[in-house]
Amino acid sequence: MRVCAALVVLSAVAAYLVVQYVTGGGAARGCKVVSATDARVSYEFTPEQAGNAATIAAVGTGRGMPLRAVTIALATALQESGLRNIEHGDRDSLGLFQQRPSQGWGSEQQIMDPAYAAGIFYAHLARVPDYTELPLTVAAQKVQRSGFPEAYAKHESDAALLATALTGYSAATLTCDGRSMQASGAVGPDAVRTALVRDFGRDALQETGAEVGGTSVPSPSPSPSVTATARGRTVTVPVPQGDRTDASGRDERERGWQLAQWAVANSSALRISRVTYAGREWTASNGGGDWHPAPGGGTAGAESSPASVRIVTGP
């Protein structure tokens, strides 16, 4: 009877752990992406998943990868890890993409870095001939060599929805409630700046400066050409003006919306309370947070001429 009772308890614990893994720990979803063309189409996910998805998108555009590549990467991570940076998997598989150190993907430490994991995925994807013309399952499989290649297909629509928001092609479509996660690292303006460098890379902010307050302090290495300051709770990231487009083929407005929605996706982890861009403002709220017209048109000025993304951190 004691053995039977023990087996029942173990089964219950195992079932609980499976449910926790599948549902993201039972936590409230916290973030949501809505289609720009059909408000009935949406995807809800956790702040942890949102932050990881934003990193995958930022690394992709930083490498000049097209929207299709970001969609493929997000669908792959949704299938492999549920967009969670997990420390376990089949054999020695790890991280967002379940990459294996023994198969040459990098060290355990590297693979557990979401920016590195996304970068090495894109590096392999870029070597697949005509990958943008292939079915998503085929393109993903040529990189992953999965035992269940067709499983990627079920995530394609959600990945496409995420990709259009997190690359800036759809504006003001990503919202989060902004409730703080348990702090696992630094928070505040300097942490926002460091995270921008981590995800977007050295040249991501081009020749403009990300500014935090007043007195300049040394930049971390590697870093984009930015200026950070120690005073205040606001990070201002200028967006280049004119007709220039980046390597991904996006204009500056799309670039700006990527930065703005990246900040919203990371609002819980970095304790961001407000994001303003192009006359729109997002504010953290237990009711879900939303985008609304910014007071006075926002720091970006007129809607037709967005100049910067303004990120305000909590106390």
Side-chain angles (χ1 to χ4, degrees):
M1 290 180 65
R2 285 196 297 269
V3 171
C4 290
L7 289 173
V8 169
V9 171
L10 287 173
S11 298
V13 170
Y16 171 80
L17 291 174
V18 168
V19 170
Q20 293 298 296
Y21 175 75
V22 171
T23 63
R29 287 298 184 185
C31 296
K32 184 177 183 179
V33 176
V34 178
S35 169
T37 57
D38 186 350
R40 296 171 298 178
V41 178
S42 64
Y43 178 73
E44 295 186 34
F45 54 150
T46 67
E48 176 194 1
Q49 292 170 307
N52 288 329
T55 293
I56 292 170
V59 172
T61 57
R63 285 175 165 262
M65 303 296 282
L67 179 64
R68 179 62 173 172
V70 177
T71 300
I72 294 167
L74 287 168
T76 301
L78 279 165
Q79 171 59 28
E80 297 292 349
S81 67
L83 281 173
R84 299 176 182 89
N85 197 27
I86 54 179
E87 299 179 352
H88 55 81
D90 178 42
R91 288 169 283 189
D92 59 337
S93 299
L94 297 168
L96 290 174
F97 295 90
Q98 289 292 278
Q99 294 154 340
R100 298 179 60 191
S102 64
Q103 299 298 309
W105 286 94
S107 67
E108 292 184 8
Q109 182 178 5
Q110 287 175 319
I111 291 171
M112 290 302 296
D113 175 356
Y116 171 88
I120 198 69
F121 177 88
Y122 286 121
H124 282 74
L125 180 63
R127 293 199 290 265
V128 176
D130 300 320
Y131 70 87
T132 58
E133 306 301 322
L134 297 175
L136 184 144
T137 53
V138 175
Q141 175 65 359
K142 286 184 178 294
V143 176
Q144 295 294 108
R145 307 296 182 186
S146 169
F148 305 95
E150 296 305 317
Y152 300 117
K154 64 177 179 285
H155 300 290
E156 183 165 3
S157 59
D158 291 334
L161 194 63
L162 288 171
T164 55
L166 290 169
T167 57
Y169 283 103
S170 61
T173 54
L174 186 148
T175 59
C176 292
D177 59 28
R179 285 177 289 182
S180 297
M181 300 165 58
Q182 183 176 354
S184 58
V187 295
D190 289 336
V192 171
R193 181 183 177 284
T194 299
L196 282 164
V197 173
R198 175 200 69 204
D199 285 3
F200 288 95
R202 182 178 180 84
D203 300 321
L205 304 184
Q206 299 187 24
E207 297 175 356
T208 61
E211 183 177 309
V212 189
T215 305
S216 297
V217 298
S219 299
S221 180
S223 73
S225 51
V226 300
T227 300
T229 62
R231 182 165 55 86
R233 296 189 293 116
T234 302
V235 179
T236 302
V237 186
V239 178
Q241 297 299 291
D243 296 328
R244 291 171 294 176
T245 59
D246 67 9
S248 298
R250 300 167 308 149
D251 61 27
E252 50 272 10
R253 181 178 295 278
E254 291 159 349
R255 174 75 174 166
W257 275 112
Q258 177 178 29
L259 288 164
Q261 296 190 125
W262 173 93
V264 173
N266 284 280
S267 59
S268 293
L270 297 174
R271 303 206 179 151
I272 295 168
S273 60
R274 183 178 299 112
V275 180
T276 309
Y277 179 62
R280 304 290 296 278
E281 185 173 84
W282 167 89
T283 52
S285 167
N286 286 336
D290 62 353
W291 287 96
H292 50 268
T299 60
E303 174 66 18
S304 60
S305 180
S308 61
V309 177
R310 185 169 179 264
I311 302 169
V312 180
T313 61

